[in-house]
Amino acid sequence: MRLARISIVGLALGVLASPVGAQRAFEEVVIPLLQYRTADTRVLADTYDADLRLLHADLRRCVPELDFNQPGIGFRKPRGKPQLAPHLSIWMIADQSVGPNGEDLATKAADAFQRYGRRLFRRLLARDSIGADPRMGGYGVVLTWMWTPPGEDLRGETLVVFVDGASAAGFVAGALGASALLDHADIRLFEGDVEQPGVRVSVNDAQVKEDTAEDCR
Amino acid sequence: MLKTSPRAVRRSFVIAVLGLGLSACASSEQWAEWRSHSTHFASGDHMAFSLKNMGDTPRVKRQDQRNAAAQSWWGKPVIPRPDQVFED
């Protein structure tokens, strides 16, 4: 189990882990075109810049309790799978006041997905033009939450979920439960920056939260 | 009359360049955090940890976590780097 606080010097020199604060502006969280390393991701980012702005606005309005990581919005491919088509991806951060509950990483990850999974995927799939693009490979949700174990320091834990478009659409529409979605998904968990392999995330479909605002459903 | 040695000039230049570099890299949020503390580091352990981790991949031991809590280190929690999550 690992956790760290990095000094301001380290941060100023560029080792800074992604900061948490008020919801960040679009320009702060979108991946700049020049930072894309593959043509297929870059062309989608260029084509759908306006849609990414709308996605950012949607997230600020419908999931205001979460902040964006930097980078937080863009077209990415899951680590270790360069052969896949780009996935429209977001990376959000929950501070301690809105983070998940649980005794261990697996139960916290399950609670996090129950709280935010459908709400975040719904925002991703609301961008119809992106979803209809045959160059798209799926969707990615990365969710980091902060918590302080007794006697220790603040810790960041992260759930990564990549899934194909059809499964994500079924999940958002309610045809596919959260547990079934995760069965189809590429899931990874991190404590700090250390991956914890082999941890199974078991969610309760009945506990999956929906948006409460009418215009976010 | 004061005389300035070449060594002192070199040192001043290095400090100036470092300061310029830091001001260019740090965000307003980072400067605000830096200003909120009366010292640059919370402790010797904090300084040692920071200097040791000025690369791209922080190495965090359990003892670092305990020290951070006991000595009230400031900074941000480490989370995965984008290249640990994404391919590109």
Side-chain angles (χ1 to χ4, degrees), chain A residues 17-69:
Chain A
S18 302
V20 182
Q23 283 209 11
R24 299 179 185 286
F26 177 75
E27 288 73 17
E28 292 182 276
V29 301
V30 71
I31 303 168
L33 279 182
L34 290 174
Q35 289 186 14
Y36 282 98
R37 296 180 186 169
T38 58
D40 53 353
T41 52
R42 189 183 312 112
V43 71
L44 286 175
D46 194 21
T47 302
Y48 294 111
D49 177 75
D51 287 271
L52 295 183
R53 288 178 183 275
L54 292 172
L55 170 60
H56 173 263
D58 267 2
L59 287 163
R60 289 188 76 156
R61 180 170 50 88
C62 295
V63 200
E65 63 269 46
L66 299 184
D67 202 353
F68 298 91
N69 189 31

Side-chain angles (χ1 to χ4, degrees), chain A residues 3 7 9 15-16 80 152, chain B residues 30 40 50 55 60 62 65 87:
Chain A
L3 144 90
S7 80
V9 165
V15 249
L16 175 58
E152 294 188 18
Chain B
Q30 291 160 6
H40 205 66
S50 180
V60 187
R62 188 79 181 190
Q65 299 174 26
E87 181 60 34

Side-chain angles (χ1 to χ4, degrees), chain A residues 101-123:
Chain A
N101 297 318
E103 293 298 311
D104 53 34
L105 182 61
T107 53
K108 277 181 284 184
D111 190 38
F113 195 78
Q114 289 165 183
R115 289 180 188 218
Y116 299 114
R118 181 163 279 151
R119 296 173 64 196
L120 293 175
F121 273 107
R122 189 181 302 284
R123 302 276 59 85

Side-chain angles (χ1 to χ4, degrees), chain A residues 72-95:
Chain A
I73 296 178
F75 291 92
R76 313 305 292 261
K77 299 180 183 184
R79 174 78 178 165
K81 299 184 176 176
Q83 73 280 10
L84 294 184
H87 288 50
L88 176 59
S89 303
I90 52 175
W91 189 332
M92 309 299 290
I93 296 182
D95 69 23

Side-chain angles (χ1 to χ4, degrees), chain A residues 66 69 89-94 100 104-118 120-121 139-146 156-162 171 178 181-182 185-196 199-203, chain B residues 79-80 84-86:
Chain A
L66 299 184
N69 189 31
S89 303
I90 52 175
W91 189 332
M92 309 299 290
I93 296 182
D104 53 34
L105 182 61
T107 53
K108 277 181 284 184
D111 190 38
F113 195 78
Q114 289 165 183
R115 289 180 188 218
Y116 299 114
R118 181 163 279 151
L120 293 175
F121 273 107
Y139 299 90
V141 167
V142 184
L143 182 59
T144 293
W145 57 91
M146 302 297 171
E157 296 178 335
T158 300
L159 169 68
V160 181
V161 178
F162 284 104
F171 176 54
L181 176 90
L182 294 180
D186 175 3
I187 303 170
R188 298 170 66 198
L189 285 168
F190 291 85
E191 285 182 343
D193 60 350
V194 179
E195 184 166 8
Q196 302 297 320
V199 179
R200 177 166 174 73
V201 180
S202 299
V203 295
Chain B
I79 62 176
Q84 291 180 279
V85 175
F86 305 115

